[in-house]
Amino acid sequence: MAQILIVDDDHQLRMSFERLLAAEGFEVRTASSGEAGIAAVREEAPDVVIMDVRMPGISGLEAYAAMREIEPRLPVIIMTAYGTTDIAIEATKMGAFDYILKPFDIPDILKLIDKAIAAGRSMRSRVAVGEEGEQALAADAIIGRSPAMQELYKAIGRAAPTDATVLIRGESGTGKELVARAVYQHSLRADKPFLVINCVAIPETLLESELFGYEKGAFTGATGRKVGKIEQANHGTVFLDEIGDMPLPIQAKILRLLQEQNVERLGGRQVIPVDVRIIAATNRDLEEAVRRGQFREDLYYRLKVVSLTLPPLRERPSDIPLLVRYFMARYGREMSQPDPGVSEAAMALFTANPWPGNVRELGNTVKKAFIFNRGAPLGPDEVQKATGEPLRNGDLAALTTGDALADFVRRQLGSGRESLFEELMDHFGQLVIREALEATGGNRTQASKLLGLSRPTLIAKIEKYGLRIESRVRDSRS
């Protein structure tokens, strides 16, 4: 369960926050002053701090500086009124996670808290590289003994202590973000910010302002100055995930950042020096993208100073039993259930599968099989059910093979509906999310992990599809 520290001199606000966040499944601590907040962090570092700027005694800015000395990677969200936004912006430039204006909407603060928890976990949760047993279970882990993985471990060790730009390549689901975190955690910047930007998850119209920030009046709705993530991560590391899908105009700005180590906010003329290390990742063929004019050649060569490649599972089948045993032990610990083990026949099925979704698909399949397991070692029937259970949703009930699914789609293509693509994507999306919720007893946190979605994204889709599945398990945020 994630722990939130609220620091504010307003007793009523602290109590309101405590009730709201406790109802959301968080553990909440409170402090009435900056001094008390510093003492609380020193006693036990929370997952996130939410702190007011103006309080009796030391200011929120001074309190943040002291907290950063105690725990440099602690995400801190600053609360501020319109009249004190300059102070909040200064705190963000110092490395605070973000700020939010009072009064704020509850959905906005909850989304921001979820993002801060994820960011804090990326910075503080250790990635075990090439370890097994209890060492690996105590952290996220990169598992494998194959020659390709052994070469990867060596490359991480050589690249991490330098400031070289790193390009991580591999298919979807191979674990590129884990490698990025491992490089960061073994680098000389490990006590500085680590910010993750997914270049395809943020709309193109917002990506530039997210990265570089903006000045008041830069565009409609820019009512004040906003510090960008790159400036916020000064002296730290920025991970640009799926950089192969970054729009060309923003690629030019990233190239300038790498060449000159400075940025300009949207609508501003001030050149702002920054000292950040860039780690990038992509599942695209960048060489082909360069030939097609979809990716800048000069940026490509700037990024691949160090290039790390993650092999797909089909090229390292000898690592699959290690991964299956790791996931079984891990999920057993997470669900407080004994690890039942895996039969030889089931393991043979796991190993024979090509796993186009790679480690992510394998992990989700093991988790699904574990959820439906009744205590005996996993058998081939449970593996087959987890990998190929028939879909259940109206016309989709009979779709048990790829050919049948293709036939269904072809029938729909003849309907002539203009919005067919969106309708089909919503249809399948609703089915997948419903199955995940049913599999986890309605627990949204577990369902989001099963699907590889962030919790806010899952909640937004549940609301969009109007899904109503009663939770049979407390929705823990741990």
Side-chain angles (χ1 to χ4, degrees), residues 328-402:
M328 289 291 289
R330 177 173 178 173
Y331 296 141
R333 176 174 290 187
E334 288 180 2
M335 299 178 194
S336 299
Q337 296 180 20
D339 177 0
V342 181
S343 70
E344 290 185 9
M347 190 66 81
L349 285 179
F350 276 123
T351 305
N353 195 303
W355 301 111
N358 293 292
V359 179
R360 182 186 299 124
E361 182 187 3
L362 174 63
N364 289 341
T365 300
V366 172
K367 188 169 189 177
K368 186 173 183 181
F370 195 107
I371 289 171
F372 289 105
N373 175 262
R374 298 182 180 273
L378 290 188
D381 290 344
E382 289 163 303
V383 175
Q384 289 177 333
K385 183 178 180 182
T387 56
E389 186 176 20
L391 304 176
R392 293 175 291 143
N393 191 2
D395 288 338
L396 302 180
L399 302 182
T400 59
T401 68

Side-chain angles (χ1 to χ4, degrees), residues 1 22-26 443 446 471-477:
M1 181 184 299
E24 288 291 317
F26 294 110
N443 187 301
Q446 288 189 10
S471 176
R472 300 190 296 276
V473 182
R474 180 175 175 80
D475 200 2
S476 170
R477 301 276 188 129

Side-chain angles (χ1 to χ4, degrees), residues 16-39:
S16 297
F17 252 126
E18 190 165 11
R19 287 193 297 270
L20 167 67
L21 297 180
E24 288 291 317
F26 294 110
E27 179 184 345
V28 185
R29 298 159 61 198
T30 63
S32 59
S33 66
E35 293 89 344
I38 295 167

Side-chain angles (χ1 to χ4, degrees), residues 13 17 79-83 100-109:
L13 186 142
F17 252 126
M79 295 184 292
T80 181
Y82 279 99
I100 191 165
L101 296 175
K102 295 179 179 179
F104 43 77
D105 293 329
I106 290 176
D108 290 341
I109 190 68

Side-chain angles (χ1 to χ4, degrees), residues 31-52:
S32 59
S33 66
E35 293 89 344
I38 295 167
V41 171
R42 185 175 288 113
E43 177 185 351
E44 180 185 359
D47 293 284
V48 176
V49 174
I50 304 174
M51 181 162 58
D52 194 16

